[in-house]
Amino acid sequence: MPHLYVHVPFCVRRCSYCDFSIAVRKRIPASEYVDAVLQELEMVRAANPGAMPQGAPDDGLETLYLGGGTPSLLPPDALAALLTSLRDAFGATSSRDAVEVTLEANPEDVTPEHASVWRRAGVNRLSLGAQSFDDAVLAWMHRSHDAARIGAAVRTLRAAGIDNISLDLIFALPAELKRDWERDLGMAMSLRPQHLSLYGLTVEERTPLARWISRGAVVPPEDDRYAAEYLLAHARLAAGGYRFYEVSNACHDGFRSRHNSAYWSGRPYLGLGPAAHSYDGRTRRWNVPAWHGYARAIAAGRSPVESAEILTPEQRELEHVYLTLRTDAGLPLNALHHASPASTARWIEHGWAEVRGERLVCTPQGWLRLDALVGDLTGTGAVG
């Protein structure tokens, strides 16, 4: 598999909106975790030798993404050992930067020592969980950094030679927070990151945010606020030289995430670690979500895969339409097998989509209605 995702589940606390598979720990079981992931990799190799190149050159691995959780909580030596072992397993050793290696990090974990070790270990892209530049908002989110740490982290990363930096921001927060979204966008752009990922706040079950809303302590986010802030981001970032190449992602030219772009193009990928997903082009598999359950399975020599789903041709086609329309590449007009001309014309007339070079491409207003558009084009109803 040319694309590898590794899930690092550990966090120092759970953010108010988070429903990801994480393990809150004061002590990070780094050596146990690294050993378990490498043992899982050996299981994958033994069970399906074709899933990994054997002694291949660098073109055997194109991207490696460490997500979480908080991968930057791994001690630098453990992270370096993990990356070295993974690259060796795929034969990706001839050039440090031939593979796009992304590390998700929290600003407070970025120190000169850590950044230097990360860079030497092959990290050449850093996704920084900024979320906001308002200290009160960060406290409400249960983030463990303040706004000043974001800029300090960016400067430290650049000094260590990591120039490909992405900032995560969350928009459409409850009105009572009085968050100034335009100010946050300006603060983010002033740091000149090459990439920005913008995520609208959603209320997930079994999160602190859901509990606050259920007891009336917080008013749920408003749909109108979501749309207004999303469109404002498009206008501000375009004026600053950024291009949205996917619903939630914008970058300067040449800095698209190669790893995430592989997901959106439907390419196969391998996932390692608790809750990690894998896809071979036909079957999707996912690991047990809890760290302890994952570690127990590995220690017993059992596969950590919790379940799998074989996609039907119809499911694969629907997913292809949905993922393609999420990007600025759009969908070829000759792929609209189930769409009526009237349905397509209606979307174009309303300014929700446009034709560019024989492809149907969503506008920002259309991306806000993407589920409905896919339902219209495929005759399946809205995609959830």
Side-chain angles (χ1 to χ4, degrees):
M1 296 273 183
H3 304 285
L4 176 61
Y5 173 80
V6 181
H7 186 77
V8 185
F10 309 111
C11 286
V12 295
R13 67 178 70 170
R14 182 177 289 276
C15 296
S16 60
Y17 49 82
C18 175
D19 73 336
F20 292 164
S21 176
I22 66 168
V24 176
R25 294 289 185 275
K26 290 184 178 179
R27 185 192 75 83
I28 306 301
S31 60
E32 298 97 316
Y33 169 79
V34 171
D35 288 346
V37 168
L38 296 179
Q39 288 179 55
E40 182 188 0
L41 185 60
E42 288 305 310
M43 291 181 187
V44 172
R45 187 199 298 271
N48 184 11
M52 294 174 51
Q54 301 287 329
D58 272 338
D59 61 0
L61 185 66
E62 296 179 21
T63 68
L64 196 169
Y65 193 107
L66 278 75
T70 313
S72 56
L73 284 177
L74 287 178
D77 57 343
L79 183 62
L82 176 62
L83 287 177
T84 297
S85 297
L86 292 173
R87 290 171 64 94
D88 287 348
F90 282 84
T93 57
S94 66
S95 172
R96 181 174 64 172
D97 288 332
V99 179
E100 178 191 84
V101 181
T102 301
L103 176 72
E104 290 185 352
N106 280 348
E108 68 273 21
D109 297 330
V110 180
T111 67
E113 177 194 2
H114 288 185
S116 179
V117 173
W118 296 342
R119 185 68 188 104
R120 289 198 303 271
V123 173
N124 49 32
R125 185 173 184 274
L126 205 295
S127 178
L128 197 65
Q131 314 310 356
S132 176
F133 289 83
D134 184 318
D135 284 339
V137 169
L138 291 170
W140 179 86
M141 291 179 175
H142 290 176
R143 300 296 294 176
S144 48
H145 68 275
D146 60 18
R149 285 296 309 163
I150 302 169
V154 169
R155 291 186 289 272
T156 298
L157 290 168
R158 288 189 174 129
I162 302 176
D163 298 314
N164 190 355
I165 298 170
S166 177
L167 296 183
D168 285 0
L169 295 175
I170 296 178
F171 66 95
L173 301 180
E176 62 259 37
L177 291 176
K178 296 182 172 55
R179 189 270 195 92
D180 188 336
W181 174 232
E182 188 165 11
R183 175 184 177 274
D184 268 5
L185 287 171
M187 294 289 289
M189 293 168 63
S190 72
L191 295 175
R192 298 176 291 104
Q194 302 292 2
H195 188 283
L196 286 157
S197 294
L198 312 180
Y199 302 106
L201 182 69
T202 56
V203 182
E204 306 293 347
E205 296 182 5
R206 297 184 296 277
T207 61
L209 176 59
R211 293 193 294 273
W212 297 343
I213 291 174
S214 69
R215 63 174 184 256
V218 172
V219 177
E222 303 166 357
D223 289 344
D224 289 346
R225 176 181 293 271
Y226 187 109
E229 293 191 355
Y230 182 72
L231 296 176
L232 174 63
H234 272 266
R236 285 296 309 272
L237 293 182
Y242 293 88
R243 177 186 177 93
F244 272 83
Y245 66 100
E246 192 268 347
V247 168
S248 302
N249 291 274
C251 67
H252 287 141
D253 289 346
F255 288 92
R256 299 185 182 211
S257 167
R258 289 161 50 195
H259 184 85
N260 289 335
S261 294
Y263 293 155
W264 304 320
S265 62
R267 299 182 65 184
Y269 53 88
L270 174 64
L272 301 174
H277 284 57
S278 301
Y279 179 60
D280 63 8
R282 182 168 176 265
T283 302
R284 184 171 288 110
R285 298 176 176 82
W286 53 94
N287 288 348
V288 294
W291 157 242
H292 281 311
Y294 171 84
R296 282 196 299 268
I298 296 294
R302 302 193 311 270
S303 168
V305 172
E306 180 180 61
S307 192
E309 175 188 20
I310 299 175
L311 302 183
T312 66
E314 293 76 18
Q315 287 174 317
R316 292 201 299 273
E317 180 182 2
L318 176 61
E319 189 168 280
H320 171 70
V321 171
Y322 180 72
L323 292 176
T324 304
L325 285 173
R326 285 181 64 93
T327 73
D328 64 349
L331 187 70
L333 294 176
N334 59 17
L336 300 175
H337 309 300
H338 305 291
S340 69
S343 177
T344 305
R346 182 171 67 88
W347 280 83
I348 294 173
E349 179 183 352
H350 283 287
W352 300 335
E354 57 190 28
V355 175
R356 301 179 196 162
E358 300 302 314
R359 302 180 75 91
L360 187 70
V361 181
C362 284
T363 64
Q365 292 84 356
W367 272 333
L368 286 168
R369 301 166 174 83
L370 181 59
D371 288 357
L373 173 58
V374 173
D376 276 358
L377 296 181
T378 60
T380 59
V383 177

